[in-house]
Amino acid sequence: MNPSDIKDKTQIAAKTSDVHSEALKRHGLIMDRERENRELGVQDTIFAQTQGGMYSDVGTEDASGNTIKDTSPDIPKYEFNLVAGAIDTVVGDQRQNEIAIRVRPDGNGSDKDKADIFNGIIKNIQALSGFQSIHDAAFDETLNSGYGGYRVSTQFTNDDVNVNSFDQEVIIEPINSAVTSLFFGPSQKYDKSDAMYAFLVWDEELTTFKALYPDAQTTDFDQEIYADEDHRPWFSGDTIRMAEYWRKVPTKKTIALLSDGRVIDVEDEKAVIDDLAQAGVSIVRQRTIDTWQVERYIMNGAEMLKPVEKWAGKLFPLIPQYGKITNIQNQQYVRGLVRFAKDAQRVYNYLRSTIVSVVAKAPKDVHWMTPEMGKGHEASLQRMNIDDNPIQYFNPDPKFPGPPARTGAPQVQQALIEAAQTAKLDVQMATGITPGTAQPTAGTDIDKRSGKAIEAQARRGDSGAYIFMSNDALSIQALGNVLVDIIPHYYDSTRQVRIMKPDGETEEITINETVRDEQSGEPVIVNDLSIGRYSTMVDIGPAFATQRMEAADRLITLASDPEGPYAKLTPDLIVKNLDLPGDASNELYKRIRGFMIKEGVVEPTEEEAEEYQLTEQEQQQMQLKTEREQAEI
């Protein structure tokens, strides 16, 4: 969206003093539009994940702010939580796969080498941030409430070597309870990249708030400002609501194309231009463009608490994640996996509880006898079910011929059991997660079905979970867009950065290093991430460790044929993909690789030739031997 095309219903405040009123108004508009969705999301989470939550929405509030009471029937209340089991199934499937961000060149001077640097930096950021657990928590919350998310932030580099560094690095942080904390203005896109404003809210204890902001309005929180409708939600008595208010402000910027190929902001990088001019880098041309300035404010219901902070990127560093989204007459409805399974789960609980209640209250299958029959045998009769004595005595009673008799205990109605089974199927249909019915024979550990049948059975639930998996990938792609947008702004000086490869190995590379071109003698910058345009996509598949084990299994299968060529050609590749403890894989790979080089099966690399001190003649001889071996194969 071009800033000149903006048609936001709220006027963007031009003065800093008016921004607080603008923020309150915008927050109120969001809550009017999304309050019901958010409340239902909280209730869904309580229903699926808390003890007793299936019988009421205790602890949540309705739209008027009144606490909901337990109004469920006064009957035995047992919980047989099928919904949480369905969620755990989807979570388990999700954690077996890896969604990897892949950056690719997209013109304007971009290239594959720098795209690979972006990929390595992003993987390292994810590793340092503990993104796996952040991502898992967001996905879990999305399945329950329909809302999840995380954020991108920055911090100064602070390692053991350079504790006083002024370099900054990008990190990813969790957003807890996104259903009640992460909000965006009107938007047409899933990732909310076209929203004009956003909020990240939380409740702060008053004692902590006063310590953090001693100059804020802390003396009287019962002041009149919190009495009106707009301000009441920002103060509860024990806590005060705070928010990060993010907004985009249309602005104009002058950019310059430098002789070394870089495009820079003239206003923000005047000092850089002067330094580059001394090194022989000049401005080729410049122009003025319409763009966004992203701003962040820290606020409560009464005032702005910090001066405005300008964010370097063009995108909000807030990544939303949603469950199932439905748009009806310009109103958006969001839900997780729980919403439409609640009634079926309640019916199942009621029926199972009723069955337990009937069985518990039913009289036992007792013996019926007259007093004359039991006279003198009272002690043994009282212990009949305890001692399990095969012989019991009784006195004949002429008035009631025959021995004591059983009349039979009442049975649970078959219709009640069938109704409970139907309710169980209803839960499975509502969640879209249908567990397999074919199981191995009792008492055995072997499933004799074919591999394809087992795999097909295991994926029967994928149809119900697919929309959540798909949106999960969209959110990670949105994360990639934010990182690609912001990395060039914070990795903009000559420095060493750590990049991570897909196999987890790391490497230190230098970025933004100015060197002289060997032919022209002109200064050029190596690994300048600000040059070029890059886009992102995501790759979905098994985690790298799983891929490596699968590769090893396939190679072993190929090498198992003694008559085939693979037994001789694959030992080093097999070892490379084995998951052995410690450094055993590397050591074994090194030994087998050396043996294969000396046997002429593979050609040595430059590093290997140097390590084994091979002369050029020996390398040529090995190459000829390798060619002969391959010709024979």
Side-chain angles (χ1 to χ4, degrees):
M1 181 192 298
N2 190 296
S4 61
D5 297 332
I6 180 175
K7 295 179 181 178
D8 195 270
K9 293 183 179 181
T10 56
Q11 185 66 35
I12 297 177
K15 298 180 180 179
T16 303
S17 57
D18 297 330
V19 174
H20 188 265
S21 297
E22 170 194 289
L24 287 180
K25 183 177 181 180
R26 284 177 160 178
H27 184 268
L29 290 173
I30 291 176
M31 294 309 298
D32 290 343
R33 184 175 64 250
E34 299 188 16
R35 178 176 284 108
E36 183 178 2
N37 261 335
R38 303 289 179 147
E39 289 175 352
L40 288 173
V42 172
Q43 292 171 17
D44 291 346
T45 305
I46 290 174
F47 181 92
Q49 300 299 336
T50 64
Q51 185 176 357
M54 289 188 170
Y55 284 92
S56 67
D57 298 311
V58 177
T60 62
E61 295 183 351
D62 58 22
S64 301
N66 301 314
T67 302
I68 297 175
K69 303 297 183 182
D70 185 350
T71 57
S72 56
D74 187 18
I75 62 173
K77 301 173 184 177
Y78 300 103
E79 289 181 334
F80 306 88
N81 198 333
L82 304 178
V83 174
I87 290 173
D88 291 343
T89 297
V90 180
V91 169
D93 289 342
Q94 175 259 333
R95 294 189 183 184
Q96 292 180 49
N97 290 323
E98 181 179 29
I99 305 178
I101 298 169
R102 182 150 61 90
V103 180
R104 56 186 180 182
D106 202 18
N108 283 8
S110 59
D111 60 62
K112 185 181 182 302
D113 289 339
K114 287 201 287 286
D116 289 341
I117 294 175
F118 270 107
N119 287 321
I121 291 175
I122 288 174
K123 287 193 72 67
N124 191 60
I125 289 171
Q126 290 177 312
L128 293 178
S129 303
F131 178 66
Q132 186 62 54
S133 62
I134 294 173
H135 170 233
D136 290 346
F139 185 78
D140 192 291
E141 185 183 351
T142 304
L143 291 176
N144 282 281
S145 69
Y147 296 87
Y150 29 89
R151 67 177 304 170
V152 173
S153 186
T154 61
Q155 64 183 15
F156 284 103
T157 304
N158 187 16
D159 54 36
D160 294 336
V161 178
N162 198 8
V163 294
N164 296 318
S165 171
F166 286 94
D167 289 333
Q168 291 192 65
E169 58 187 7
V170 179
I171 58 173
I172 306 168
E173 296 178 329
I175 292 178
N176 297 320
S177 187
V179 65
T180 58
S181 62
L182 182 59
F183 302 89
F184 289 88
S187 170
Q188 298 297 319
K189 296 182 179 181
Y190 170 86
D191 62 3
K192 305 302 180 184
S193 59
D194 56 337
M196 290 299 298
Y197 54 90
F199 291 88
L200 184 61
V201 303
W202 69 96
D203 290 330
E204 194 75 75
E205 291 186 357
L206 286 181
T207 53
T208 304
F209 175 81
K210 293 176 182 179
L212 291 173
Y213 304 99
D215 297 329
Q217 298 184 29
T218 58
T219 54
D220 184 10
F221 280 104
D222 294 326
Q223 57 191 290
E224 187 176 348
I225 190 172
Y226 288 108
D228 63 67
E229 191 70 25
D230 290 338
H231 294 82
R232 191 178 301 120
W234 292 83
F235 175 63
S236 65
D238 296 325
T239 62
I240 186 166
R241 179 159 296 177
M242 296 178 61
E244 292 183 18
Y245 170 49
W246 293 84
R247 70 170 190 165
K248 293 177 183 175
V249 179
T251 186
K252 293 185 181 296
K253 180 184 296 185
T254 301
I255 60 173
L257 173 64
L258 303 181
S259 58
D260 63 1
R262 280 192 296 173
V263 177
I264 65 172
D265 185 333
V266 174
E267 196 64 32
D268 291 346
E269 302 191 53
K270 287 181 178 179
V272 175
I273 294 175
D274 294 339
D275 291 341
L276 292 174
Q278 295 179 5
V281 179
S282 60
I283 295 177
V284 176
R285 63 178 182 270
Q286 61 185 38
R287 67 187 181 95
T288 301
I289 61 171
D290 291 324
T291 186
W292 303 113
Q293 176 60 63
V294 176
E295 299 178 342
R296 183 182 79 152
Y297 297 84
I298 304 296
M299 59 175 285
N300 64 4
E303 60 185 326
M304 291 298 179
L305 301 170
K306 285 185 176 181
V308 59
E309 299 175 26
K310 294 185 177 182
W311 180 251
K314 298 187 296 294
L315 301 172
F316 293 139
L318 306 172
I319 315 300
Q321 184 160 336
Y322 299 105
K324 180 70 172 65
I325 301 174
T326 305
N327 292 290
I328 304 176
Q329 295 182 337
N330 296 322
Q331 177 64 41
Q332 190 174 86
Y333 298 87
V334 180
R335 67 173 177 86
L337 201 64
V338 180
R339 185 75 47 82
F340 296 136
K342 290 166 73 173
D343 283 346
Q345 175 69 72
R346 287 187 178 109
V347 170
Y348 183 72
N349 284 344
Y350 290 148
L351 291 171
R352 288 292 305 273
S353 296
T354 300
I355 291 172
V356 172
S357 178
V358 169
V359 172
K361 292 180 179 179
K364 296 179 180 179
D365 189 7
V366 297
H367 288 77
W368 294 89
M369 63 182 67
T370 64
E372 184 64 29
M373 292 178 178
K375 186 179 297 182
H377 305 293
E378 291 85 357
S380 62
L381 289 172
Q382 289 176 355
R383 297 185 59 84
M384 181 187 301
N385 292 330
I386 300 174
D387 295 339
D388 196 22
N389 195 325
I391 300 175
Q392 292 292 336
Y393 297 97
F394 72 96
N395 303 315
D397 189 342
K399 296 181 179 179
F400 293 92
R406 294 178 183 270
T407 56
Q411 301 294 316
V412 176
Q413 296 180 10
Q414 184 64 28
L416 199 60
I417 297 175
E418 292 176 356
Q421 290 299 318
T422 301
K424 181 177 182 179
L425 292 175
D426 289 341
V427 174
Q428 295 168 2
M429 295 299 292
T431 58
I433 309 302
T434 307
T437 55
Q439 300 292 338
T441 305
T444 70
D445 295 325
I446 301 175
D447 191 338
K448 297 183 178 180
R449 294 175 294 164
S450 69
K452 289 186 177 180
I454 295 173
E455 182 178 358
Q457 188 70 50
R459 295 189 175 276
R460 287 183 62 187
D462 283 359
S463 59
Y466 181 79
I467 185 64
F468 298 95
M469 300 288 195
S470 177
N471 285 350
D472 186 30
L474 289 176
S475 292
I476 291 184
Q477 185 174 9
L479 170 65
N481 292 336
V482 171
L483 292 174
V484 169
D485 176 47
I486 200 64
I487 282 174
H489 295 282
Y490 288 96
Y491 295 77
D492 58 345
S493 60
T494 302
R495 58 192 282 196
Q496 279 198 322
V497 295
R498 180 180 290 113
I499 62 172
M500 180 172 288
K501 301 176 183 179
D503 61 359
E505 294 293 326
T506 60
E507 178 185 354
E508 299 284 342
I509 66 166
T510 303
I511 60 173
N512 304 315
E513 182 179 18
T514 302
V515 298
R516 293 284 177 179
D517 185 86
E518 294 181 358
Q519 296 181 350
S520 65
E522 294 292 325
V524 293
I525 298 179
V526 179
N527 296 333
D528 183 355
L529 303 181
S530 67
I531 296 178
R533 184 174 62 241
Y534 296 87
S535 59
T536 64
M537 61 181 299
V538 292
D539 291 330
I540 305 175
F544 187 84
T546 304
Q547 296 178 38
R548 189 173 60 187
M549 288 187 290
E550 290 176 352
D553 289 340
R554 292 178 183 177
L555 289 169
I556 290 171
T557 301
L558 291 172
S560 61
D561 180 7
E563 302 298 327
Y566 301 105
K568 183 176 291 188
L569 297 176
T570 58
D572 58 333
L573 300 178
I574 292 174
V575 171
K576 191 174 184 180
N577 286 283
L578 289 177
D579 190 15
L580 300 177
D583 199 41
S585 291
N586 291 334
E587 183 62 30
L588 185 58
Y589 172 78
K590 183 178 177 181
R591 295 181 185 183
I592 290 181
R593 180 75 179 176
F595 175 79
M596 295 176 72
I597 289 172
K598 293 176 182 178
E599 289 294 310
V601 179
V602 295
E603 295 182 30
T605 63
E606 293 182 5
E607 292 80 4
E608 288 171 335
E610 182 179 349
E611 180 179 358
Y612 296 120
Q613 297 180 350
L614 301 176
T615 66
E616 186 174 348
Q617 182 178 1
E618 288 174 326
Q619 294 181 51
Q620 291 175 353
Q621 291 174 350
M622 287 184 176
Q623 183 177 0
L624 291 173
K625 186 176 181 181
T626 302
E627 291 174 353
R628 287 196 301 269
E629 291 278 353
Q630 293 176 349
E632 292 174 3
I633 291 173

